[in-house]
Amino acid sequence: TWLLIGLVLLAIGIIVIILRSRHKRTEIPVNQVKTTTEKTNVNFNADLMQRICQMMEEQKLYLNADMKLQDLADLLGTNRTYIIDCIKTTRGQSFTQLINSYRIEHSKHLLCQQPDKKMSAIATESGFTTETTFFRTFKTITGITPSEWRTRYAKID
């Protein structure tokens, strides 16, 4: 019986050694796991940001004054947290800052191409709910007022 117990213990020992050696071969070093995860996150963020920009540019979502983060998440089939993280990581902006940057670019084109259009109309057509928000945001992003922009860059025939 002692011989049988010894053989069983020996067999168990051999099995444990084999399993440990297999496990060590399949282990990925911690620094490599981190790098792989970071690369995956970078790729995910780049792809998501590309989809966000494409949607903004093709569908002009920023022109909707009621545009919400959840609306964009629903359109992209993802969640708000992914979008917030993606925009922050890739652009260093908030969702609102991103939307407003698109709105200001749109308003700059309107100011240049339609120099006689009223500022209130430009603000509304660019997706802003109030003229005050439009003026404040425009100056924050460009450093000058919409009127100054129009004076400098408008095409006057």
Side-chain angles (χ1 to χ4, degrees), residues 19-123:
L19 290 175
R20 281 190 178 172
S21 69
R22 284 185 182 173
H23 180 70
K24 283 184 180 178
R25 277 188 261 154
T26 59
E27 275 184 9
I28 299 172
V30 174
N31 61 347
Q32 193 175 352
V33 169
K34 186 177 178 184
T35 303
T36 303
T37 304
E38 287 171 355
K39 286 179 185 175
T40 302
N41 287 341
V42 168
N43 291 341
F44 176 79
N45 282 337
D47 291 344
L48 182 57
M49 194 68 223
Q50 183 178 7
R51 290 173 53 212
I52 291 168
C53 292
Q54 183 178 3
M55 215 166 232
M56 288 293 167
E57 291 159 16
E58 289 176 1
Q59 297 182 24
K60 300 194 183 304
L61 300 174
Y62 54 89
L63 296 180
N64 176 358
D66 297 324
M67 182 67 189
K68 304 283 184 273
L69 178 59
Q70 188 60 53
D71 299 333
L72 182 60
D74 292 343
L75 287 168
L76 290 168
T78 189
N79 68 50
R80 296 162 34 105
T81 303
Y82 287 149
I83 293 174
I84 291 167
D85 290 344
C86 173
I87 295 171
K88 190 68 165 171
T89 302
T90 59
R91 296 284 179 98
Q93 296 178 312
S94 68
F95 171 74
T96 303
Q97 289 170 325
L98 178 72
I99 293 291
N100 283 340
S101 67
Y102 276 103
R103 288 175 175 162
I104 294 303
E105 284 305 309
H106 183 79
S107 68
K108 287 195 251 179
H109 291 293
L110 293 177
L111 288 165
C112 290
Q113 295 169 353
Q114 300 174 15
D116 296 330
K117 187 169 263 194
K118 291 185 179 207
M119 288 294 172
S120 58
I122 300 244

Side-chain angles (χ1 to χ4, degrees), residues 124-138:
T124 302
E125 288 178 32
S126 298
F128 289 96
T129 53
T130 68
E131 198 173 345
T132 304
T133 304
F134 167 60
F135 276 92
R136 186 178 349 105
T137 305
F138 195 99

